């Protein structure tokens, strides 16, 4: 089967890497891809949000499965357009993708399904939002309703900080139209984890969990980013907790979406806060996380392509997902200045030495090749140095040995990924 992966980041490199090992695969494309993905897939110069062009390409090439990496093409209707062309798409329809595309919609679905989540309110008027903040007090959470590339959430420690977030999102529109509406939530306390489930519209199977490190600075300081590192499995996600999450959160939402006529197929990513009263839903994403996907793919032992096809075809009831007992950890190397302004074009050396570290796989997130063949940085998050080990400590040590083998003066990373768990 021919497969087209949509996207060009570290998540998509990990997906291509896993799919390339499938005995079912005959040819693998990635649009637009990156310099690392080019080693395992044929990169196609089509943007991830160019839905008509993507479907036209898939039709011409006889692609049997389109795999959506990021959320934007799904909210733009990639799965719907593929269905109209008679092509399977691993990912939800635009109607079901609203679980990520609108935080207010997600909260409404969660309430209808009886899912435990934080108290919340939606605002289209900044004055009303400020009045609510003053009445509620801090700490409090302000979220842009729409897609903001993982940067539209502010956990405000003071009312003044929360009011600044409202001004940034609703008045100065730092996230564009995504911040025209905001969701304001109570601030929950506890460890945060990423929980993934494979869904076929009716049946959901738990995937492995991970813990992301969202803030740019060590000790979880500084602004939120798309993710500076992750590890899997988190020790706090026990078998009992996994079943509780499936029973109280994932399956009720799957049933509610089906009741609404928008059955969810693909990966449902639940961001959870493990409070003293039990797990609470923070958000849903409708795709694999980044960098969580990298940590998951190196642990997956089932054939990824077969699993995706089972989700597309409504055949998960009898599917068995197998995982390695190994631990995994990914350290993101980012360009200095990220998540703010950063420079591109810095030459990266030493990847061969990094990949020579036992258990290490380096995934490319934002790289390109110059005409002279040199590998250069071409994004904010640039590399995901991923390692496996018999213990999390072993995986962590291997990942940082590989990081230290890479020469890129313009880059930086957090040095505390997985430190608390170890």
């Amino acid at each position: 089967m021919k497969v087209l992966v949509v996207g060009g980041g570290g998540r998509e490199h990990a997906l291509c890497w896993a799919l390339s090992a499938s005995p079912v695969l005959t040819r693998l494309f990635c649009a637009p891809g990156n310099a690392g993905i080019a080693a395992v897939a044929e990169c196609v110069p089509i943007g991830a949000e160019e839905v008509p062009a993507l479907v036209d390409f898939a039709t011409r090439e006889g692609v049997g499965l389109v795999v959506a990496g990021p959320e934007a093409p799904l909210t733009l209707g990639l799965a719907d357009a593929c269905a109209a062309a008679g092509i399977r798409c691993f990912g939800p329809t635009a109607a079901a993708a609203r679980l990520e595309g609108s935080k207010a919609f997600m909260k409404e679905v969660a309430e209808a399904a009886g899912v435990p989540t934080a108290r919340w309110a939606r605002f289209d008027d900044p004055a009303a939002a400020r009045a609510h903040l003053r009445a509620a007090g801090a700490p409090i959470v302000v979220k842009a309703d729409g897609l903001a590339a993982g940067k539209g959430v502010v956990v405000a420690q003071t009312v003044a900080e929360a009011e600044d977030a409202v001004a940034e999102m609703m008045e100065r529109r730092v996230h564009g139209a995504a911040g025209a509406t905001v969701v304001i939530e109570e601030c929950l306390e506890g460890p945060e984890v990423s929980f993934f489930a494979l869904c076929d519209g009716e049946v959901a199977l738990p995937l492995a969990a991970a813990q992301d490190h969202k803030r740019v600075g060590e000790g979880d300081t500084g602004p939120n980013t798309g993710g500076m590192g992750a590890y899997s499995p988190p020790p706090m996600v026990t078998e009992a907790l996994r079943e509780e999450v499936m029973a109280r959160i994932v399956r009720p939402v799957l049933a509610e979406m089906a009741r609404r006529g928008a059955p969810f197929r693909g990966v449902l990513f639940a961001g959870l806060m493990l409070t003293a009263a039990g797990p609470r839903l923070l958000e849903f994403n409708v795709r694999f996380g980044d960098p969580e996907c990298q940590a998951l793919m190196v642990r997956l032992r089932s054939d990824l392509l077969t699993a995706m096809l089972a989700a597309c075809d409504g055949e998960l009831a009898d599917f068995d997902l197998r995982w390695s007992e190994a631990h995994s950890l990914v350290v993101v190397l980012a360009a200095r200045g990220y998540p703010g302004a950063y420079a591109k074009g810095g030459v990266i050396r030493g990847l061969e030495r990094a990949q020579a570290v036992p258990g290490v796989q380096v995934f490319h997130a934002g790289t390109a090749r110059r005409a002279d063949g040199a590998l250069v940085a071409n994004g904010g998050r640039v590399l995901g140095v991923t390692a496996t080990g018999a213990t999390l400590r072993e995986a962590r040590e291997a990942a940082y040995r590989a990081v230290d083998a890479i020469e890129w003066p313009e880059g930086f990373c957090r040095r505390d990924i997985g430190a608390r768990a170890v």
Side-chain angles (χ1 to χ4, degrees):
M1 173 179 286
K2 294 181 181 179
V3 176
L4 169 63
V5 175
V6 176
R11 166 183 48 223
E12 289 75 38
H13 189 181
L15 292 173
C16 286
W17 176 81
L19 287 166
S20 68
S22 174
V24 183
L25 183 76
T26 57
R27 196 171 178 187
L28 181 60
F29 303 99
C30 186
N34 63 38
I37 292 172
V40 292
E42 299 173 51
C43 293
V44 182
I46 303 174
E49 298 180 25
E50 298 176 38
V51 171
L54 291 167
V55 176
D56 286 347
F57 174 83
T59 301
R60 288 197 313 272
E61 291 291 339
V63 166
L65 177 68
V66 173
V67 178
E71 62 278 10
L74 292 168
T75 61
L76 291 172
L78 177 61
D80 308 77
C82 285
I87 303 169
R88 291 185 184 98
C89 181
F90 181 76
T93 62
R98 289 187 68 203
L99 282 174
E100 180 168 0
S102 169
K103 293 179 178 62
F105 176 79
M106 181 279 291
K107 299 290 280 191
E108 291 167 1
V109 170
E111 284 191 347
V115 169
T117 184
R119 295 189 302 272
W120 68 289
R122 167 187 171 159
F123 297 94
D124 301 307
D125 174 56
R130 290 190 184 93
H132 176 81
L133 291 171
R134 291 164 189 154
I140 199 162
V141 182
V142 181
K143 297 181 177 181
D145 178 63
L147 299 179
K151 301 166 190 169
V153 178
V154 174
V155 181
Q157 298 303 314
T158 65
V159 171
E161 185 183 353
E163 290 181 331
D164 286 344
V166 166
E168 289 276 293
M169 294 178 190
M170 303 187 77
E171 295 170 338
R172 290 190 280 278
R173 297 294 178 94
V174 294
H175 304 301
T181 296
V182 299
V183 167
I184 298 177
E185 295 182 346
E186 68 171 318
C187 187
L188 300 175
E189 293 184 359
E192 187 175 342
V193 297
S194 304
F195 187 95
F196 299 86
L198 190 64
C199 306
D200 69 5
E202 294 183 1
V203 175
L205 298 180
L207 294 166
Q211 187 167 50
D212 187 14
H213 295 63
K214 289 186 172 62
R215 292 187 180 269
V216 72
E218 293 176 14
D220 292 324
T221 58
N224 277 335
T225 71
M228 293 299 294
Y231 68 91
S232 177
M236 65 286 289
V237 181
T238 63
E239 184 64 33
L241 179 64
R242 184 165 64 172
E243 184 46 47
E244 182 180 2
V245 172
M246 291 298 294
R248 299 187 64 197
I249 296 173
V250 175
R251 294 189 186 109
V253 165
L254 204 63
E256 176 63 18
M257 292 300 290
R259 187 191 69 78
R260 291 173 179 240
F264 187 93
R265 298 181 183 88
V267 170
L268 187 60
F269 165 2
L272 305 175
M273 187 71 80
L274 305 184
T275 74
R280 295 290 183 268
L281 177 67
L282 295 177
E283 64 178 359
F284 276 130
N285 293 329
V286 298
R287 36 67 187 183
F288 283 105
D290 187 349
E292 294 100 327
C293 184
Q294 293 88 306
L296 266 57
M297 289 301 105
V298 295
R299 296 187 57 228
L300 181 65
R301 290 295 171 262
S302 295
D303 177 40
L304 179 62
L305 179 49
T306 304
M308 288 178 166
L309 292 172
C312 291
D313 295 342
E315 297 177 352
L316 284 181
D318 299 317
F319 199 85
D320 181 32
L321 281 169
R322 293 176 293 107
W323 295 90
S324 164
E325 293 297 319
H327 295 253
S328 61
L329 183 139
V330 52
V331 179
V332 170
L333 287 177
R336 293 194 184 279
Y338 176 82
Y342 55 85
K344 297 181 181 180
V347 176
I348 302 168
R349 299 182 177 89
L351 287 195
E352 297 82 3
R353 292 192 299 273
Q355 296 236 139
V357 176
V360 166
Q361 175 65 42
V362 179
F363 293 113
H364 293 229
T367 61
R369 288 282 178 192
R370 281 195 328 210
D372 63 2
L375 182 71
V376 298
N378 193 42
R381 291 186 299 166
V382 176
L383 296 170
V385 181
T386 308
T388 56
T391 65
L392 183 59
R393 183 183 297 275
E394 288 183 13
R396 187 172 186 272
E397 290 173 351
Y400 279 110
R401 282 202 304 274
V403 165
D404 291 337
I406 296 171
E407 298 175 29
W408 179 36
E410 298 86 355
F412 77 99
C413 70
R414 281 182 56 168
R415 289 278 170 178
D416 62 346
I417 305 301
R420 290 180 184 172
V422 168

